[in-house]
Amino acid sequence: MTTDRDGEIVVSPNHVVFDLPEIVAVQEGLFEAVGLRVRFADAADRSADAERNPAARHKESQFTAARADVYNVCEWGGIDRLERDTRGGRIGHLRAAVVAQALVSLDDDLNEPHDLADVTVSINEYTGSHYTALHLLEGTVPRERITLAHTGPPGTRLDLLLAGESRATMLMEPFLSVALTHGAHVLGTYAYRGSQVVAPHLTAAQQEAYRTAVDKAVDLVNADRARWAPTIAAEAGDRLDPADLRPDYYRYTHIAPFTERRFTETYAWMRSWRLTDGRSGYETLRALR
């Protein structure tokens, strides 16, 4: 199994709204400026992203097979993937993307989280849509009355919502903006960062250079957000005019460390929902800086 491609670092792609800083860093030569060769792995076939087993999905399977060296996923998912993965790896940092998952509906009888007791909410299991739905609902709906259904990636969830086959779903950009242009309304939002999973062979120096380039890309994006909006909107195809992409449901900030306090709080919450068996610790999953 090859893990070092003559120093090249391969990124397993996530959705564009999460990957935009890395996309910009590649396009603008920011990785090269810090001495790294970075490229994205091929994302042509994303059909496995509908699988219930997250290890079978595109970005995770690319990493496990050593065809990619880094990828970002939601904070809770980063812990879950590393506990499932056979290759090994660490959480390097909290990613630069701060994105909202919004609970949306076209049903006039659903107007706030209180209305979702015993109502099925469409999510993709073990992704941000799953974890944020639990966080969003558990403050108002008794846990035993929260009902989630795995229906697949955001494009599929959007289609089910617009077809009237789903009463409520979790969506992030650009699929959220598409839903809103079709008359959907927001019942609640949950803004969250994610974690960057890194391969075990990447050195502390490589990771620091990677973070430096991504932070510079964040500054470029924030200096002219309208310039990059079409890149995000393009994932929705011809269903969304870039001018209709809502700027208030995503933003970018410099990379932050995954602290022990944050890990402890996150891990305790995951155990409370039986989303982990609790066998890992902070030093097990955190990458050296």
Side-chain angles (χ1 to χ4, degrees):
M1 180 179 292
T2 301
T3 57
D4 185 354
R5 304 165 196 81
D6 296 323
E8 181 182 60
I9 297 174
V10 179
V11 181
S12 191
N14 199 348
H15 295 286
V16 175
V17 71
F18 302 125
D19 280 344
L20 185 64
E22 279 86 349
I23 292 170
V24 171
V26 169
Q27 291 181 356
E28 300 297 308
L30 301 178
F31 286 122
E32 293 177 359
V34 295
L36 298 179
R37 292 191 296 114
V38 178
R39 67 173 175 85
F40 276 85
D42 182 17
D45 182 8
R46 296 289 292 266
S47 60
D49 289 355
E51 295 284 342
R52 298 183 77 97
N53 175 14
R57 297 171 189 162
H58 183 80
K59 60 181 177 291
E60 291 88 345
S61 63
Q62 293 290 300
F63 182 86
T64 299
R67 290 191 289 271
D69 308 298
V70 299
Y71 67 91
N72 72 72
V73 68
C74 67
E75 175 183 352
W76 315 273
I79 294 172
D80 173 76
R81 304 312 189 263
L82 286 172
E83 291 188 324
R84 294 172 185 265
D85 194 80
T86 57
R87 178 184 181 187
R90 295 290 188 272
I91 294 174
H93 55 258
L94 297 178
R95 71 185 174 205
V98 182
V99 177
Q101 286 276 352
L103 177 58
V104 297
S105 178
L106 287 162
D107 190 327
D108 290 339
D109 292 329
L110 304 178
N111 296 289
E112 56 178 326
H114 279 285
D115 298 333
L116 273 295
D118 302 318
V119 174
T120 300
V121 176
S122 296
I123 53 93
N124 193 13
E125 280 188 339
Y126 304 109
T127 70
S129 64
H130 182 179
Y131 302 107
T132 57
L134 295 176
H135 273 289
L136 184 60
L137 292 171
E138 69 179 345
T140 54
V141 177
R143 282 193 172 196
E144 65 272 14
R145 299 188 67 188
I146 295 175
T147 304
L148 306 182
H150 171 81
T151 57
T156 301
R157 300 197 303 274
L158 172 64
D159 291 339
L160 292 173
L161 181 76
L162 298 182
E165 298 177 30
S166 172
R167 294 185 68 191
T169 193
M170 300 293 291
L171 292 174
M172 83 294 179
E173 295 296 10
F175 309 98
L176 171 57
S177 286
V178 176
L180 295 176
T181 62
H182 283 80
H185 55 275
V186 175
L187 287 76
T189 62
Y190 190 103
Y192 67 107
R193 303 189 75 157
S195 54
Q196 189 88 15
V197 176
V198 301
H201 72 279
L202 294 183
T203 67
Q206 286 176 308
Q207 292 177 57
E208 183 59 33
Y210 189 100
R211 289 190 286 267
T212 297
V214 171
D215 284 347
K216 289 180 179 179
V218 165
D219 293 339
L220 283 181
V221 171
N222 289 337
D224 188 2
R225 291 189 68 190
R227 174 186 174 189
W228 304 101
T231 304
I232 297 172
E235 190 172 4
D238 60 5
R239 296 199 288 185
L240 184 68
D241 186 319
D244 291 328
L245 181 70
R246 308 293 179 100
D248 43 343
Y249 291 117
Y250 69 97
R251 61 188 298 271
Y252 301 97
T253 185
H254 284 186
I255 285 169
F258 190 36
T259 65
E260 185 170 6
R261 175 180 176 180
R262 179 152 181 163
F263 170 84
T264 300
E265 293 172 349
T266 297
Y267 207 50
W269 179 84
M270 291 179 69
R271 285 198 304 270
S272 77
W273 277 101
R274 298 182 180 179
L275 295 167
T276 176
D277 59 14
R279 67 181 181 273
S280 301
Y282 179 65
E283 293 301 328
T284 306
L285 299 180
R286 179 184 64 100
L288 295 177
R289 294 178 65 87

